[in-house]
Amino acid sequence: MTQVKLERLCDAQPGERFRITKINIEGTMKRRLLDLGFVPGCEVTVLQKSPLGDPTAYRVSHTTIALRNEESSNIYGERIRDDKQS
Amino acid sequence: MDATVPPNPFDELLKEAQHLSGDDTREQIVSAIFQTSQAICKETVTYTKQEKLHETEKLDRIFTSKIWGFPIMLAMLAVVIYITIAGANVPSSLLAEFFGWLEGYITLAFEKMHAPEWLYGILVLGLYRGTTWVVSVMLPPMAIFFPIFALLENYGYLPRVAFNMDRLFKKSGAHGKQSLTMAMGFGCNAAAIMSTRIIESPRERMLAILTNNFVPCNGRWPTLILLASLFMAAGYTGGWKTLMTASVVVAMVVFGIVVTLTVSWVLSKTALRGVPTHYTLELPPYRRPKIWDTIVRSTLDKSVYVLKRAVTVAAPAGVLTWVLANIHIGDTTVLAYIAHLLDPFARQLGLDGYILMAFILGLPANEIVLPILLMGYLSTGALTEVDGLRSLKQIFIDHGWTWLTALNMMLFSLLHYPCGTTLINIYKETKSKKWTFVAFALPTGIAIAVTFTTAHIAQWLRFI
Amino acid sequence: MTNNHEYTIALAGNPNTGKSTLFNVLTGLRQHTGNWPGKTVVHAEGFFTYKDEQYRIIDLPGTYSLYSNSADEEVARDFIIFAKPDVTLVVLDATALERNLNLALQVLEMTDRVIVCLNLMDEAKKKGIIIDIAKLSKKLGVPVVPISARNKEGIDELLETIARMVHGEIQTKPTKISYSRTIEEKIAKLLPLVKEVIGDEYPARWIALRLLDGDTSLLHALQSQPHHLLKGGAHYGCHCSAKSI
Ligand SMILES: Nc1nc2c(ncn2[C@@H]2O[C@H](COP(=O)(O)OP(=O)(O)OP(=O)(O)O)[C@@H](O)[C@H]2O)c(=O)[nH]1
Ligand SMILES: [Mg+2]
C-alpha cells in the first residue's frame, strides 16, 4: 500500500469525490457525523458551497448534508481524482 | 427501598464497561452497522435511472448559487407577499360588507326586543364589531399567505434558506437552524418558540427564543399590509400600489432579520457569550407537494385558527374596549384618559396615546391592536362601520396621522414585545422568569429606541 | 386496565421520512408536516381502531440514530426500551435506504417486534429506484411493508401486518450485526454481568454494546426506572397490557 498524504475534506472542490479515512473531531459532533454516513472508508461527493462561501453541501449515502468549515476541515481522507464521474 | 442492596451493582457494571471500552468503539460500532446496511442495500436496491437521482442537486445549483441564492430568496418572499396583498383585497371588503349587512339585522332585532342601550353597546358595538373586524381584516390575507407558504415548506425550500443564511447566523453567534425557527415565526411566534427545540445548545436556543418576535407573525402581517397600503403606497394605483405595498412589507421583514442578527450578535458578545456550536443540516430532496391537498388543508387550518383567535381574544377585547370607552370620569372616558396620559411619551416615538394604548391592551394578541385603536379613535368607543379603506384612512388622518406615524406604528408592531401566548410559551420552555422578562423587555426597548430615532430624525430633517 | 385491551405502536425513523404523515393517515389527526428535518418537536399520540381493536400510536421525533447524542434521541430510545410498544414501526425513506437502514438495524438490536415501513415508494419509483422487498425482509428478519403515506398506498397491508404482529402471528428473527472481533469479545465479557444486574427484562446484548460505547445516560435511565428491582423477572411495562399489574 502506498502511503498517501491525507487531505482535508474542506479542500476538495465542488464536483470532486473524497474518501474518508479519519475524523479528527471529538464528542457528540463526531457521533453525529458517523450517524450521517461520514464513516471512514465511505465516499462523499462535494456538491456546492453556500452563496456566502460556507457551509458546503456534500452527498453522502444518497443524502445531502451541509457541513461548516469547522467540521469539514477536520475530516481527512483522499480526493478521488478520476474526472469521469457520473 | 434499596436499603438492602449492597454496593450499587450499576456502578460496578459501569466501571467494568469503562474498563473494557476503547477510544474508537463508537467508530467501530457505527462502521459495522454501516457495512451491514451497505451490504443489504447492494443486494436489494437497484438504480435504473441514474439521471433522475441528481435532479435535486441540479435545482440546488440554482436555488443556492452564489449569484441567484439570495435574489431568489428575496423574490420568493416578495411574490408571496404580493399575491397575499393582491388577493386579499376583494374578499376583505366583501366580508366587511357582509358583516355590515348582518349588523343591520342584528340591530333591528335588538330594537324589536327593546334591549337596553348598554347591552346593545357591549354586544354589538363592542363584541360583534371587534370580532368581525378581526375576521374580515385577518382572515383573507392569512388564508392566502399560509397555503403558499405551506407549498414552499412542503416542496423543501426552507432548508435551503437555512443553508444560504447559515454564514450570517454563524457570524452573529447564533445557530444556523434559527432561520427555520424564524420561518415558523411567520406563522405564529408562539408555535415558533416550541420549534426552537430543534436547536440543541441552550445558549443558541435562547437566542432564537429572544429574537423570534422580530419576524412578523400572523397577527401582525395584516397590520403591516394595511398601513403600508394606506400610507406608503398612497400615490399609486392598481398593480403599482400593490407592488409598492409589497415592497414596504418586504423591507419590514428584511429589517426584522437585520435586527435579529444584530441582537443575536450583541447578545453573544454579552449576556449569552459563547461560540456557535457545530451542527449539520440535511437538505432533503425537493418533493412536489400535493398541491390541492396542501392548499385546502392549510387554508382550513389557518381559517379555523383565525376564527378561534377572533372569538377568544378579539371578542373580549372588543367588550373591554367598549366598556372603557363608555365609563366616564368627569367629562372624559377612561379610555381617553389613559390615552391622554400616554400621549406625551408616545409623541416622542412618533405615535400617539391611543396607538400606545392599543399596543398595551393588545398584549394578549397582536390581532386586536388595530381594532382597539379604531375603537379608541371613534368618540363613541365603538368601531364604526368602516366602509372601505378610504374612510379608514380618513379616520387616521383626522387624528393627525402622517406617513411617519404609519411607519412608526409598523416598526413598533414589528419590534415590540411578543404577545401574551408567546410569553407564556417562552416561560414554559425556558422555565425562567428572568428570561421571560428579558424576552419582553428587550424587544420593547428596541422598539422604543428605533421609533424614537426615526421620529426624531424625521423631525430634525424637516427643520433643516 | 380492564378488558379493553389497547395496543401501543411507536413510530421511529430518520427525520423527514413521513412519520407524521403516516400518523395522520392512521389516526385522522392533523399533525403538522413539512419537508424539512425536525418538523416534529413535541411527540404526539393518537388512537385508531382496526378490526374492532384499539391501538395507541406515538409519533416520536425523527432521529438519525438511537445512541444518546441528543435529547430527542434519548426520548425515542427510552420509549422503545422502557415503554415496550407492542410494535415499533420503523419508517424508512425508500430513496435513501442505505442511511435509513442504520436506524432500522439499531432498532432491531433493541426489540424483535418491529415492522419496517418503506415510505416514499412513489418518490423511489419516480427516481427509478427498485427495491426487492421480499429479499430485504428476509435479510432483516422482520416484515417489510412498502407504503406511500401521502397517497395512502399500502396502508391496508400495513394495518394487517400490525394486527398479525400484535397477535403473535408473525415470527421475527431480527438480523444480528456482527461486530469486529475485539468488540464481540468485549461484549462476551460484559454480557454475564449485564444479565446479572439488569435481568432479562431488557435486551442484554444491546445494553452491553451501549455501555461499551460509554453511554452512561442509558444506565441512569435504567436505574431510575422505578419498578426496576435488580432481580428482574417481573414484567412491567408502561403500556396498559393485561399483563401489567
Ligand atoms: N411523495 C411523497 N411525499 C411524502 C410521503 N410521505 C410524506 N411525504 C412528504 O414528506 C415530507 C415529510 O413528512 P413528515 O410527515 O413531516 O415527516 P416526519 O418523519 O414526521 O419528519 P420529522 O417530524 O422532521 O421527523 C412532507 O413534505 C410530506 O408531505 C409519500 O408517501 N410520498
Ligand atoms: Mg414529524
Side-chain angles (χ1 to χ4, degrees):
Chain A
M1 256 216 305
T2 48
Q3 184 67 37
V4 198
K5 195 169 152 283
L6 290 185
E7 292 173 285
R8 301 187 300 172
L9 178 58
C10 65
D11 294 329
Q13 289 307 306
E16 284 184 323
R17 290 184 298 150
F18 188 92
R19 187 178 302 284
I20 299 171
T21 31
K22 203 169 84 183
I23 300 177
N24 232 349
I25 301 170
E26 283 315 308
T28 317
M29 192 59 204
K30 175 165 189 175
R31 294 160 169 232
R32 167 87 328 124
L33 288 172
L34 289 170
D35 292 337
L36 289 171
F38 292 89
V39 178
C42 285
E43 194 186 297
V44 302
T45 308
V46 186
L47 294 176
Q48 75 173 112
K49 286 184 181 341
S50 143
L52 299 174
D54 190 46
T56 306
Y58 299 96
R59 187 196 314 138
V60 49
S61 66
H62 298 108
T63 57
T64 307
I65 309 286
L67 295 184
R68 283 177 175 173
N69 204 43
E70 282 87 338
E71 278 75 55
S72 55
S73 61
N74 283 308
I75 298 177
Y76 294 89
E78 48 186 309
R79 286 144 90 167
I80 305 172
R81 269 180 260 233
D82 62 351
D83 291 312
K84 47 173 188 0
Q85 55 133 12
S86 54
Chain B
M1 75 173 174
D2 26 10
T4 54
V5 181
N8 195 338
F10 277 101
D11 288 343
E12 267 171 56
L13 180 56
L14 196 61
K15 232 192 280 161
E16 179 68 16
Q18 267 161 2
H19 171 67
L20 281 172
S21 86
D23 268 352
D24 59 346
T25 313
R26 166 64 68 99
E27 220 166 299
Q28 286 188 38
I29 292 176
V30 177
S31 295
I33 296 183
F34 245 93
Q35 274 154 21
T36 314
S37 76
Q38 264 172 351
I40 294 178
C41 281
K42 205 168 262 166
E43 285 186 58
T44 53
V45 185
T46 34
Y47 297 93
T48 57
K49 295 182 194 162
Q50 283 298 334
E51 77 284 355
K52 283 264 182 191
L53 289 178
H54 306 313
E55 264 177 3
T56 290
E57 291 165 14
K58 275 189 206 133
L59 281 171
D60 269 342
R61 253 168 259 159
I62 303 167
F63 283 140
T64 64
S65 80
K66 206 168 187 136
I67 305 170
W68 295 111
F70 277 88
I72 289 178
M73 234 157 54
L74 206 62
M76 291 238 190
L77 183 65
V79 167
V80 174
I81 291 177
Y82 183 91
I83 297 176
T84 305
I85 296 171
N89 236 329
V90 175
S92 261
S93 39
L94 282 180
L95 272 177
E97 260 167 47
F98 167 75
F99 287 130
W101 171 83
L102 195 63
E103 191 187 306
Y105 285 93
I106 296 175
T107 309
L108 266 181
F110 270 80
E111 279 167 5
K112 273 263 165 60
M113 290 187 298
H114 302 288
E117 191 69 18
W118 61 266
L119 189 67
Y120 176 73
I122 287 186
L123 288 185
V124 179
L125 301 181
L127 189 141
Y128 177 81
R129 283 191 181 172
T131 316
T132 56
W133 213 88
V134 168
V135 171
S136 54
V137 174
M138 303 285 156
L139 191 54
M142 296 303 95
I144 297 176
F145 181 85
F146 287 101
I148 309 179
F149 187 79
L151 284 179
L152 279 180
E153 181 182 355
N154 275 303
Y155 183 57
Y157 187 64
L158 292 192
R160 274 72 194 183
V161 173
F163 181 66
N164 287 342
M165 305 267 289
D166 179 74
R167 188 86 189 267
L168 298 175
F169 284 99
K170 188 170 104 184
K171 277 257 160 80
S172 56
H175 199 280
K177 284 188 187 163
Q178 192 170 322
S179 14
L180 295 173
T181 64
M182 284 165 72
M184 293 298 100
F186 281 147
C188 168
N189 296 130
I193 298 301
M194 310 291 287
S195 79
T196 58
R197 288 185 187 181
I198 57 171
I199 299 174
E200 282 275 322
S201 129
R203 185 190 77 88
E204 282 140 84
R205 181 154 178 234
M206 189 63 80
L207 283 177
I209 289 176
L210 293 180
T211 56
N212 191 269
N213 78 306
F214 297 134
V215 293
C217 64
N218 107 86
R220 291 181 282 164
W221 282 116
T223 308
L224 295 181
I225 292 174
L226 187 70
L227 294 182
S229 78
L230 286 184
F231 286 91
M232 303 292 160
Y236 303 84
T237 49
W240 284 108
K241 190 179 171 81
T242 313
L243 192 68
M244 197 56 209
T245 311
S247 321
V248 173
V249 176
V250 170
M252 280 289 154
V253 175
V254 173
F255 181 66
I257 295 171
V258 172
V259 173
T260 302
L261 290 170
T262 317
V263 171
S264 303
W265 183 77
V266 172
L267 282 175
S268 7
K269 294 272 176 283
T270 53
L272 289 167
R273 199 164 312 157
V275 284
T277 47
H278 302 184
Y279 89 112
T280 56
L281 176 71
E282 178 167 5
L283 302 174
Y286 292 110
R287 291 177 192 142
R288 216 170 79 90
K290 279 191 121 173
I291 296 178
W292 211 226
D293 271 24
T294 312
I295 290 180
V296 169
R297 188 171 161 166
S298 74
T299 309
L300 283 178
D301 279 1
K302 215 58 208 187
S303 307
V304 170
Y305 177 85
V306 170
L307 291 175
K308 240 174 44 205
R309 293 274 280 197
V311 175
T312 53
V313 195
V319 172
L320 179 73
T321 316
W322 187 87
V323 170
L324 287 181
N326 284 275
I327 299 177
H328 290 262
I329 348 173
D331 52 358
T332 56
T333 64
V334 177
L335 204 70
Y337 181 74
I338 300 174
H340 191 71
L341 270 186
L342 294 170
D343 204 61
F345 177 63
R347 293 280 166 203
Q348 292 296 313
L349 310 181
L351 306 171
D352 69 24
Y354 281 98
I355 303 178
L356 205 55
M357 183 190 58
F359 275 117
I360 294 171
L361 289 178
L363 174 69
N366 287 300
E367 285 89 334
I368 57 179
V369 172
L370 261 188
I372 293 178
L373 176 60
L374 286 171
M375 281 195 191
Y377 275 159
L378 299 159
S379 51
T380 55
L383 281 164
T384 46
E385 271 177 70
V386 188
D387 40 292
L389 292 182
R390 194 156 330 170
S391 62
L392 197 59
K393 186 172 181 186
Q394 201 52 49
I395 299 173
F396 287 134
I397 289 181
D398 288 347
H399 286 84
W401 276 49
T402 61
W403 65 269
L404 183 67
T405 326
L407 177 70
N408 277 343
M409 176 153 179
M410 287 164 75
L411 286 172
F412 201 86
S413 171
L414 178 74
L415 302 172
H416 78 303
Y417 47 79
C419 75
T421 321
T422 309
L423 286 171
I424 291 172
N425 273 6
I426 292 177
Y427 180 69
K428 276 191 202 149
E429 292 294 307
T430 61
K431 301 217 168 52
S432 146
K433 291 203 177 88
K434 182 187 120 198
W435 285 112
T436 310
F437 177 73
V438 174
F440 173 86
L442 183 85
T444 310
I446 291 172
I448 292 175
V450 169
T451 46
F452 181 87
T453 315
T454 50
H456 284 258
I457 287 180
Q459 275 168 21
W460 180 65
L461 284 182
R462 246 181 249 166
F463 280 133
I464 286 178
Chain C
M1 283 292 202
T2 46
N3 52 2
N4 201 350
H5 196 109
E6 181 184 88
Y7 298 107
T8 309
I9 296 174
L11 282 175
N14 280 182
N16 208 31
T17 52
K19 295 177 297 301
S20 299
T21 310
L22 179 61
F23 178 88
N24 289 345
V25 169
L26 292 177
T27 59
L29 291 173
R30 293 169 152 234
Q31 271 288 303
H32 290 283
T33 61
N35 190 5
W36 53 283
K39 177 79 195 184
T40 305
V41 284
V42 225
H43 78 165
E45 177 179 293
F47 299 88
F48 68 92
T49 34
Y50 179 70
K51 295 201 171 154
D52 298 327
E53 281 178 307
Q54 269 280 335
Y55 293 85
R56 181 166 77 106
I57 182 162
I58 286 96
D59 185 12
L60 294 173
T63 56
Y64 290 113
S65 84
L66 289 170
Y67 303 151
S68 65
N69 298 325
S70 71
D72 274 355
E73 289 168 352
E74 269 167 40
V75 168
R77 176 199 73 189
D78 287 354
F79 193 87
I80 296 173
I81 279 294
F82 298 123
K84 300 204 163 139
D86 294 285
V87 175
T88 303
L89 278 186
V90 185
V91 183
L92 304 186
D93 176 350
T95 64
L97 198 57
E98 194 179 293
R99 212 267 311 280
N100 274 256
L101 265 184
N102 290 313
L103 188 94
L105 291 171
Q106 289 176 22
V107 176
L108 288 179
E109 288 185 309
M110 300 163 71
T111 160
D112 56 0
R113 283 171 301 189
V114 178
I115 297 174
V116 168
C117 237
L118 269 189
N119 192 24
L120 295 151
M121 284 306 284
D122 55 321
E123 291 284 326
K125 196 185 272 167
K126 246 192 256 167
K127 290 188 175 175
I129 302 173
I130 297 169
I131 301 171
D132 185 341
I133 305 288
K135 201 164 181 184
L136 183 62
S137 167
K138 215 171 113 211
K139 291 253 162 214
L140 293 175
V142 295
V144 176
V145 186
I147 65 166
S148 171
R150 208 177 65 179
N151 305 333
K152 302 189 174 68
E153 285 163 19
I155 305 298
D156 287 337
E157 193 194 336
L158 178 64
L159 285 170
E160 192 53 41
T161 317
I162 293 173
R164 285 179 49 215
M165 182 165 281
V166 297
H167 290 126
E169 288 164 25
I170 297 179
Q171 286 307 312
T172 59
K173 200 174 166 299
T175 178
K176 225 172 84 181
I177 296 161
S178 45
Y179 294 99
S180 64
R181 220 181 56 229
T182 45
I183 297 233
E184 288 290 351
E185 276 166 7
K186 286 175 184 171
I187 295 177
K189 261 190 218 149
L190 205 57
L191 214 48
L193 193 58
V194 172
K195 281 192 175 139
E196 189 190 314
V197 177
I198 314 280
D200 43 32
E201 196 180 335
Y202 302 108
R205 180 182 157 89
W206 179 77
I207 288 175
L209 206 60
R210 300 317 321 132
L211 291 177
L212 284 175
D213 190 23
D215 183 349
T216 48
S217 82
L218 174 70
L219 210 57
H220 292 312
L222 278 169
Q223 217 166 352
S224 63
Q225 283 293 299
H227 57 265
H228 194 88
L229 300 170
L230 310 179
K231 314 254 158 34
H235 183 97
Y236 296 91
C238 299
H239 61 110
C240 318
S241 78
K243 269 190 247 161
S244 63
I245 312 171

